[in-house]
Amino acid sequence: MTKITFVKHDGEKFEVDAENGTSVMNAAVDNLVPGIDADCGGECACATCHVYVDETWFPKTGGTNDAEEAIMSLNPDRQETSRLCCQVPVTDEMEGLVVRLPEFQF
Amino acid sequence: MAIVIIGAGQAAGQAAASLRQEGSDEEIIILGDEPHIPYSRPLLSKEYLAGHESARLYLRAEKFYTDKNVTMRTNTRAEKIDTAAKTVTIEGGEVIEYSNLLIATGSRARILNIKGSDLGGIFYLRTLDDVDAIKDAMAPGKKVVIVGGGYIGLEVASVAQTNGMDVTVLEAADRILQRVTTPEMSAFYDNLHTSRGVKVLTNTGVSGFEGEGTVTHVCCGDASIEADMVIVGIGIIANTELASEAGIECDNGITVDERCRTSAEHVYAAGDCANHPNPILGRRLRLESVPNAADQARVVAANIMGKDKTYAAVPWFWSDQYDLKLQMVGFSADGDTQVVRGDKSENKFSVLYLKDGALVAVDAVNCPADFMGGKALYGKKLNQDGLSNPDIPLKDLVLSE
């Protein structure tokens, strides 16, 4: 289990235990973190699991892949550390990861 | 008393989660006739069939349901709804009382009932168990005949072809994807499959199957096509029988209002089985789509909790074939004009559909930015000069009202 903290746009925090081998999106959905819709189920097809990774953590998530880059390119809420969290695997190295949620999913 | 959900698909899982998010502490009972907790059905004909198990199939871990006091009764078929007594009777006779009921019974594969259709080796693709059986039967070099050139058939064709099978797709209409897209998109996908080695036969209806116990030939009038296995994907039928037998109004699905309420009090319906009004499109429709099921489930949960929420979303869909991701917004048939952006020969383009100058649909092939643009700009009037230039972002072409 790996501890991940989701911070809503209004500052409310959700600290969850995520199972290694799943995705950060799975951890959010399993723990009723509001604001992660994840409609496509993790196929990188819908961009409804957008998060901002804490700056110090961003490199450890491996950075965005091409599919994410393309689908987020039009998102007005896009920031430098944006990720689609269905594309971020949960590993031991992620212990303590902090991600913030945008106010709206696209 | 409990909130009872009939069906254990996307809508059911989302409704349970949303009810807890909305603050409900009432018991929730999910009655599903499959042996599984809610899973992602779109993955079945895509990653899961292909054997890529990167994405998790189950929408939520089993522990989620126990932790959240959601009673998950799998292998449990609901047999009768009594809206006056507010009860559901399940197989075996047990009667469960509900405070509110969500009918999320989804849909089932349309079955062929022709000569030889009960032979072995003929598969349908709707459930996880269906796909496990198909995966077991698939092997490189084997001949697979796919009946139906819709999204399911073509997704299966791409996986089978990639796995080195000999693939034939039979389509009764004069083009594949005839029900869901334009002749141009049909031609593009026909060409895509043909170029990869799939035999696509249009205007080819199936008249029967032959074989001793197991199918060996598919008959199409006078022609006969060899087959080691057959996969039939000819559409789905909404599961409305429970509702209609209970006297709940149905018309191409269970009739619901913008709050997903059926004609019976305290009874809601969501997902593939629900015929709902869409205020953005200005008409009623029944959608076979995951985002629709999830969004309606959220609306149901909010309304059960007294939050008065209505459903209004632009429909969107996706289909993965080979290395092409098709993402669609709206319905191309709503347009009066179409504009192609990008290069079809590079398998990277989008088709925008406009009605009276306003964007009403997008088909985006490996162009997720145009898909997202379509979701964001639906209904907006666009400057048609420059629309065909993929280097100009869609948002820069919006005309002020």
Side-chain angles (χ1 to χ4, degrees):
Chain A
M1 286 293 188
T2 299
K3 211 160 272 318
I4 298 176
T5 304
F6 296 86
V7 185
K8 266 177 68 185
H9 71 280
D10 63 5
E12 192 184 352
K13 284 185 182 169
F14 292 81
E15 202 178 88
V16 311
D17 287 319
E19 199 183 327
N20 286 6
T22 64
S23 68
V24 173
M25 177 277 280
N26 290 144
V29 168
D30 280 353
N31 290 281
L32 291 181
V33 176
I36 300 280
D37 288 349
D39 281 336
C40 77
E43 279 205 53
C44 203
C46 74
T48 61
C49 64
H50 178 203
V51 299
Y52 308 124
V53 177
D54 194 85
E55 267 173 43
T56 53
W57 281 99
F58 185 70
K60 292 181 197 164
T61 67
T64 50
N65 61 42
D66 290 352
E68 271 177 276
E69 221 23 83
I71 201 163
M72 287 197 296
S73 64
L74 267 197
N75 191 324
D77 299 331
R78 172 81 196 269
Q79 296 181 7
E80 267 182 37
T81 66
S82 284
R83 292 288 319 255
L84 297 180
C85 62
C86 71
Q87 302 297 304
V88 182
V90 177
T91 60
D92 284 339
E93 286 74 59
M94 297 289 177
E95 177 67 30
L97 175 70
V98 179
V99 301
R100 290 177 299 115
L101 306 182
E103 185 169 6
F104 301 107
Q105 294 290 347
F106 216 86
Chain B
M1 291 267 260
I3 298 169
V4 175
I5 301 173
I6 305 178
Q10 298 263 176
Q14 184 61 51
S18 295
L19 280 163
R20 292 295 178 245
Q21 268 173 342
E22 299 277 1
S24 167
D25 52 13
E26 198 177 345
E27 189 189 2
I28 298 171
I29 301 173
I30 297 181
L31 307 172
D33 61 359
E34 290 184 54
H36 306 286
I37 61 174
Y39 55 85
S40 173
R41 217 174 283 282
L43 292 180
L44 292 183
S45 53
K46 307 179 177 78
E47 278 98 328
Y48 186 76
L49 182 64
H52 309 149
E53 299 191 17
S54 52
R56 186 176 68 177
L57 195 60
Y58 291 106
L59 298 173
R60 291 170 186 80
E62 193 151 14
K63 185 172 173 294
F64 168 85
Y65 302 97
T66 44
D67 284 356
K68 303 296 175 195
N69 188 27
V70 177
T71 306
M72 180 65 63
R73 297 185 64 170
T74 51
N75 288 313
T76 303
R77 177 179 287 275
E79 287 199 325
K80 189 179 160 221
I81 300 166
D82 183 332
T83 59
K86 293 173 72 179
T87 59
V88 176
T89 306
I90 60 173
E91 210 168 19
E94 186 188 342
V95 176
I96 301 169
E97 273 186 85
Y98 63 79
S99 56
N100 284 283
L101 175 67
L102 169 59
I103 306 176
T105 43
S107 49
R108 60 182 180 273
R110 195 154 82 82
I111 302 292
L112 270 179
N113 193 6
I114 54 177
K115 183 171 68 85
S117 57
D118 54 353
L119 284 168
I122 301 176
F123 299 89
Y124 293 85
L125 194 160
R126 183 66 195 160
T127 67
L128 178 50
D129 294 354
D130 290 343
V131 180
D132 283 337
I134 290 171
K135 275 171 91 169
D136 284 347
M138 282 172 66
K142 271 189 168 182
K143 294 185 178 69
V144 56
V145 174
I146 295 165
V147 181
Y151 287 121
I152 291 289
L154 296 179
E155 287 175 1
V156 172
S158 79
V159 173
Q161 184 68 29
T162 304
N163 286 357
M165 296 184 76
D166 178 312
V167 185
T168 305
V169 174
L170 307 179
E171 170 55 53
D174 62 359
R175 58 185 173 95
I176 56 171
L177 299 173
Q178 188 258 348
R179 189 175 67 99
V180 288
T181 194
T182 58
E184 289 76 12
M185 287 298 285
S186 292
F188 174 80
Y189 272 95
D190 192 312
N191 183 48
L192 171 72
H193 282 274
T194 307
S195 71
R196 306 279 172 132
V198 173
K199 294 175 277 291
V200 178
L201 306 178
T202 53
N203 292 310
T204 306
V206 175
S207 50
F209 302 98
E210 285 174 355
E212 299 282 330
T214 300
V215 66
T216 56
H217 289 85
V218 180
C219 310
C220 307
D222 296 336
S224 170
I225 301 164
E226 272 185 68
D228 298 311
M229 65 185 289
V230 172
I231 300 169
V232 183
I234 52 168
I236 57 182
I237 296 171
N239 292 324
T240 59
E241 290 81 357
L242 266 181
S244 60
E245 285 161 12
I248 295 167
E249 197 182 304
C250 295
D251 182 9
N252 178 28
I254 301 167
T255 307
V256 298
D257 67 8
E258 65 279 9
R259 291 172 178 78
C260 294
R261 299 179 298 200
T262 69
S263 63
E265 257 191 283
H266 300 290
V267 181
Y268 297 81
D272 285 15
C273 65
N275 185 305
H276 60 274
N278 185 313
I280 300 169
L281 300 175
R283 61 179 186 264
R284 297 193 71 90
L285 70 167
R286 190 177 67 70
L287 284 174
E288 298 160 2
S289 115
V290 157
N292 171 67
D295 280 344
Q296 289 187 335
R298 292 181 187 111
V299 167
V300 170
N303 285 314
I304 287 177
M305 296 306 290
K307 301 220 170 132
D308 194 37
K309 192 169 172 181
T310 57
Y311 176 74
V314 178
W316 59 272
F317 314 88
W318 79 98
S319 175
D320 297 340
Q321 294 167 48
Y322 308 103
D323 48 352
L324 280 67
K325 186 178 283 294
L326 169 63
Q327 294 164 293
M328 297 156 273
V329 180
F331 296 99
S332 50
D334 289 345
D336 54 32
T337 310
Q338 67 179 62
V339 179
V340 178
R341 278 161 69 84
D343 190 348
K344 279 189 186 175
S345 65
E346 298 273 308
N347 293 342
K348 185 175 166 56
F349 67 97
S350 64
V351 187
L352 311 181
Y353 304 90
L354 308 170
K355 185 182 184 190
D356 302 328
L359 187 66
V360 293
V362 176
D363 290 331
V365 175
N366 287 344
C367 272
D370 283 357
F371 165 69
M372 294 302 288
K375 278 173 91 173
L377 306 175
Y378 185 93
K380 297 258 193 302
K381 296 223 185 225
L382 300 180
N383 184 348
Q384 295 190 38
D385 299 329
L387 209 49
S388 62
N389 182 347
D391 297 330
I392 305 175
L394 287 182
K395 65 176 191 304
D396 295 347
L397 296 167
V398 176
L399 297 172
S400 49
E401 299 287 308

